[in-house]
Amino acid sequence: MIRPAHVLAAGALALAAAVAFHPGAGPAAAAAAEPPRVNDAAVQQGIPRTLAAFGFFADAPGQVPAARVVPYRLNTPLYSDGAEKLRFLYLPEGTHLAAAGDGLPEIPVGAALIKTFAFGEGAGRRLIETRVLLHRADGWLALPYLWNEAQTEARLALAGARIDLVTPRGEAISYRVPNKNQCKECHGLDGAVVPIGPKARNLAQEWLAAIAARGMIDRVPDGADALPRWEGAADATGGAQVTLAARAYLDVNCAHCHRPGAMASNSGLDLRWEQRDPRALGVMKRPVAAGRGSAGLLFAVVPGKPRESILLHRMASAEPGVAMPELGKATVDPEGVRAVERWIAAMEP
Amino acid sequence: MPAWAETITVAPGEGAQERLQEALILAEPGDEIVLAAGRFALTDGLSLDVDNVTLRGAGMEASVLDFSGQQGSGEGLLVTSDGVTLRDFAVENPKGDGIKSKGADDIVYHAIRVTWTAGPRASNGAYGIYPVESTNILVYGSEVSGASDAGIYVGQSSRITVRNSVATDNVAGIEIENSRNAIVERNFVSRNTGGILVFDLPDLPVMGGGNVLVRHNLVASNTTANFAPEGNIVASVPRGTGIMVMANENVWVGQNLLYDNPTAPIMVIAYPMAFDDPDYNPYPRDVTIDRNMVDEGGTDPQIEGAESLLAAFGGALPPVMWDGLSAGEERATLWVHPDLPGWSLNLPAQGEGMAGARPGPLEAPEPGPAISTENWGAGAELEARIR
């Protein structure tokens, strides 16, 4: 039933993106697209019950963005049971990002990050949830919105939800939509909610240059685009490439909790990209609160011995209480496991 | 409590997961969320991130958060806000930890029960009651059994009181780890592998455990075979350990009743493994073992060479065991009440296991004058909340 709309939507998305990336396009082209505007009041106050209230999309079911809502992708994305993730950045008129090294650029108050999770391809694509991060005067607010069966509307799901679905690899799972607090479990740093994904090192040079040309960032940040494009990265050859893939994966999938000031700070494990101390990265580090997650192994990472490394064991598990990450994962990511396994195997004992 | 504070009651039954979680999210500071009597069947971890909220059940046998069907999250209930009171409910069979409070200052756990109902199993979660990286913690009148690590575990925290609580059938009953200014008193600690552990470990953000008072506890029959997954520090605790102090400073152990802890009623040791963290002190310092009521001691020790040791000491190892390792001349290691006999492994070096042990009688000076415990334990305002 909804197939034609989707086809149209895809066309509109392409057009909107083209306009977004080519501000120099003629006035006629711009006028033809004339996308709707975001509702700034909803971004900045209240807790809207529906995603539509924000006006982030010209066509929400089709994921066609409104004006100044720019799609982006991450070089190495967080694994989410194979969900397709559609990411958008909204910047209000007259505001822009400010480059701040290879980490998160400074994001102005009034901005929003929007991420839709979908499963299935083409006409079979089903939107599951859209998570929004709103930058308000008093800090960032994370809210989850759950799409209805008819795919016409996404409603606030403060308490989260469970959805039965089949992943791209054919695994039937109970997919977890996080509740509002669980958003903070990953996005919490030193007591505040912060964005995780759009760090300059994980954004494409081309995209940054394009939004710089539109005045949406002051310049392309130093250290941008350092993380590898994930497609194929897990199977890269050569020591440097193997390390790059694993460290990128750990930074994106683990380090939002495993770092000082975040949810798993008490573990003493710090898996950030910039961490250089092998012990902090888990090398010959004994577990502290792993419980049965240790599986009888003695160290987080044993150089040359992936099978004796707790870190890999927990990545390779889908069982609650053992599995890492604790949230947002019902299935094991074979590519992530492969990347980290090869990294540990190649380590000098 | 502010005048506008609300009481929100949540009942078990259809949609309990969403209804309870929504109540926890929408609570305002000062609110009380009441769990009606009954069994809440939960599929996911719950969490509370609002300051000064009370979560109260109808009693630790009446209101049960049942996580037997849990499909996600690393714990049953997670608290990340300050000033929270948890009281009068139970958590059963969480897949990971029971109740974890992280960076949650001024927290009270009162009459909380965390139970893994199948008894000691390696597949049980690690910790029952688990405050970590927090200041000002009161655990009172609570019960934990079945934890595959520690029943009541307080880590990387300060100003802690664990009182009138019951820890049974865990690997460790009560554990105070990498923490300071703690009082553990009037608890019943039985059928664990080890009763009460006071530990400090390397490679952690918070180290330097000390100022710990362990008194008036009944520590009996901690004879459960160790069922902790290997790799965790408690997996190395021998079955039959009563009170164990490792790598801490200024610890006072007195007026406890210790019975049937057949490896060692009281054990004082250095961190046993090799380490290379330059900021870590592996030795016990200024540990006082004052008057305690103790039986004959280590009648069935789970120690290398047990048979010859038993023969040498006349059938039972004396109640106080020391590994013989100390920080050096500048800090006293151990004072022991003269009524309490002890023995030492006389190990020659830290981190080298039992190599070179020369077991012999313990020679330790008598305890000096009582030490100050000012500002140890939870503040009076937490005690006031449970009256």
Side-chain angles (χ1 to χ4, degrees):
Chain A
M1 291 285 275
I2 54 175
R3 181 185 303 256
H6 267 287
V7 173
L8 278 176
L13 176 60
L15 180 57
V19 171
F21 282 98
H22 300 285
E34 199 58 52
R37 306 185 68 85
V38 169
N39 176 4
D40 285 310
V43 174
Q44 288 175 30
Q45 57 203 305
I47 298 188
R49 308 303 291 188
T50 66
L51 181 66
F54 295 105
F56 288 135
F57 296 100
D59 167 13
Q63 293 287 289
V64 180
R68 296 190 64 84
V69 177
V70 188
Y72 69 98
R73 58 153 290 168
L74 299 175
N75 289 359
T76 297
L78 173 76
Y79 175 73
S80 305
D81 293 324
E84 178 191 358
K85 292 192 266 190
L86 302 116
R87 298 178 176 81
F88 304 89
L89 162 69
Y90 167 63
L91 289 170
E93 195 69 49
T95 69
H96 61 81
L97 304 177
D102 78 338
L104 276 182
E106 287 173 33
I107 304 174
V109 168
L113 294 161
I114 305 110
K115 180 159 68 166
T116 296
F117 291 66
F119 285 87
E121 287 186 24
R125 183 171 86 176
R126 178 180 166 205
L127 308 181
I128 303 297
E129 53 161 333
T130 297
R131 305 178 189 173
V132 302
L133 262 178
L134 312 172
H135 198 187
R136 296 184 163 180
D138 59 353
W140 288 90
L141 175 67
L143 296 173
Y145 289 84
L146 183 64
W147 282 90
N148 62 6
E149 194 77 26
Q151 300 280 285
T152 52
E153 185 182 50
R155 296 189 68 82
L156 182 66
L158 282 181
R162 282 199 168 272
I163 312 283
D164 291 330
L165 53 78
V166 177
T167 70
R169 279 199 312 280
E171 296 162 287
I173 61 167
S174 171
Y175 175 89
R176 174 69 188 166
V177 177
N179 66 51
K180 178 171 173 283
N181 286 352
Q182 289 174 323
C183 296
K184 189 177 170 186
E185 284 182 42
C186 292
H187 285 273
L189 184 63
D190 297 323
V193 171
V194 297
I196 301 167
K199 299 184 175 90
R201 59 174 173 263
N202 204 12
L203 291 167
Q205 189 86 19
E206 301 79 11
W207 183 82
L208 287 162
I211 65 163
R214 277 186 75 187
M216 296 178 90
I217 188 167
D218 55 350
R219 60 192 162 84
V220 175
D222 301 332
D225 213 356
L227 269 57
R229 305 282 200 283
W230 186 245
E231 293 80 6
D235 301 306
T237 50
Q241 296 308 310
V242 168
T243 299
L244 204 61
R247 291 298 305 277
Y249 190 86
L250 295 172
D251 184 55
V252 170
N253 286 272
C254 316
H256 44 275
C257 286
H258 282 288
R259 60 164 296 173
M263 202 60 217
S265 57
N266 58 301
S267 67
L269 197 61
D270 181 358
L271 297 172
R272 284 176 298 170
W273 178 251
E274 58 267 41
Q275 181 55 258
R276 289 289 172 268
D277 174 10
R279 183 60 53 90
L281 289 167
V283 175
M284 300 309 281
K285 180 189 174 304
R286 295 180 190 276
V288 55
R292 67 198 176 98
S294 77
L297 304 173
L298 301 181
F299 301 100
V301 173
V302 180
K305 296 181 174 169
R307 295 293 157 87
E308 295 178 22
S309 301
I310 296 169
L311 185 147
L312 191 73
H313 169 72
R314 300 191 78 170
M315 283 179 63
S317 171
E319 189 186 345
V322 176
M324 286 285 161
E326 289 182 343
L327 295 179
K329 161 186 164 174
T331 60
V332 173
D333 178 8
E335 287 184 16
V337 167
R338 203 155 65 235
V340 172
E341 185 171 15
R342 297 175 76 216
W343 173 61
I344 296 174
M347 259 181 218
E348 297 284 338
Chain B
M1 185 177 288
W4 57 87
E6 282 191 64
T7 300
I8 303 111
T9 301
V10 181
E14 185 68 29
Q17 177 80 40
E18 285 71 27
R19 287 184 288 112
L20 176 51
Q21 184 58 63
E22 198 157 292
L24 292 168
I25 288 170
L26 295 175
E28 298 281 345
D31 285 356
E32 178 163 296
I33 296 168
V34 175
L35 299 169
R39 185 166 285 269
F40 294 73
L42 301 166
T43 57
D44 284 278
L46 298 165
S47 55
L48 172 61
D49 189 39
V50 182
D51 290 347
N52 303 318
V53 167
T54 296
L55 178 59
R56 178 199 295 264
M60 68 159 75
E61 301 301 332
S63 299
V64 179
L65 305 180
D66 182 349
F67 289 95
S68 304
Q70 186 176 2
Q71 299 175 58
S73 301
E75 58 281 308
L77 170 63
L78 175 68
V79 178
T80 47
S81 48
D82 297 337
V84 167
T85 302
L86 307 172
R87 58 180 302 170
D88 307 300
F89 64 88
V91 166
E92 288 188 1
N93 298 319
K95 294 290 188 268
D97 303 313
I99 306 177
K100 178 177 181 180
S101 49
K102 178 166 185 293
D105 297 342
D106 311 317
I107 188 166
V108 173
Y109 290 82
H110 174 52
I112 292 293
R113 177 172 64 84
V114 178
T115 311
W116 281 272
T117 55
R121 289 193 180 182
S123 56
N124 294 348
Y127 304 135
I129 290 177
Y130 177 16
V132 63
E133 285 189 351
S134 304
T135 300
N136 211 17
I137 297 158
L138 175 61
V139 179
Y140 189 101
S142 294
E143 296 185 13
V144 181
S145 70
S148 70
D149 196 304
I152 298 170
Y153 170 96
V154 185
Q156 303 180 49
S157 294
S158 64
R159 300 218 56 181
I160 301 143
T161 297
V162 179
R163 182 186 299 140
N164 287 2
S165 292
V166 177
T168 60
D169 303 287
N170 309 288
V171 174
I174 298 171
E175 183 172 353
I176 306 295
E177 187 171 281
N178 293 51
S179 292
R180 291 189 77 81
N181 299 353
I183 298 175
V184 178
E185 63 182 2
R186 290 187 235 149
N187 302 289
F188 174 53
V189 184
S190 184
R191 297 197 308 271
N192 307 286
T193 301
I196 299 173
L197 313 183
V198 181
F199 280 13
D200 201 61
L201 302 179
D203 295 322
L204 291 177
V206 179
M207 295 187 293
N211 293 357
V212 182
L213 176 62
V214 181
R215 68 176 173 193
H216 303 152
N217 298 285
L218 171 54
V219 182
S221 299
N222 290 291
T223 52
T224 298
N226 197 317
F227 60 100
E230 194 98 20
N232 297 283
I233 186 74
V234 297
S236 63
V237 172
R239 182 268 304 131
T241 302
I243 297 172
M244 179 171 175
V245 179
M246 183 177 80
N248 258 251
E249 63 170 352
N250 212 24
V251 180
W252 190 281
V253 178
Q255 307 288 351
N256 300 285
L257 176 56
L258 294 121
Y259 183 79
D260 189 20
N261 300 290
T263 287
I266 299 173
M267 186 189 294
V268 180
I269 63 167
Y271 178 69
M273 285 170 284
F275 69 96
D276 52 17
D277 183 339
D279 299 323
Y280 177 67
N281 190 330
Y283 300 104
R285 290 94 68 201
D286 295 321
V287 176
T288 298
I289 310 299
D290 196 11
R291 186 188 295 277
N292 290 274
M293 298 280 286
V294 187
D295 63 5
E296 68 270 36
T299 52
D300 181 16
Q302 204 173 54
I303 296 176
E304 212 176 299
E307 265 179 47
S308 53
L309 284 169
L310 286 174
F313 283 100
L317 301 176
V320 179
M321 174 192 159
W322 179 37
D323 63 2
L325 295 167
S326 64
E329 298 297 317
E330 69 278 12
R331 291 291 290 275
T333 303
L334 188 59
W335 288 275
V336 180
H337 193 277
D339 289 354
L340 273 180
W343 68 289
S344 172
L345 280 166
N346 289 313
L347 295 179
Q350 188 276 335
E352 295 179 7
M354 298 285 271
R358 291 175 293 106
L362 173 66
E363 287 169 31
E366 288 184 31
I371 57 174
S372 167
T373 57
E374 204 180 332
N375 291 324
W376 296 19
E381 70 282 7
L382 297 195
E383 311 264 354
R385 269 194 233 162
I386 61 175
R387 286 206 190 103

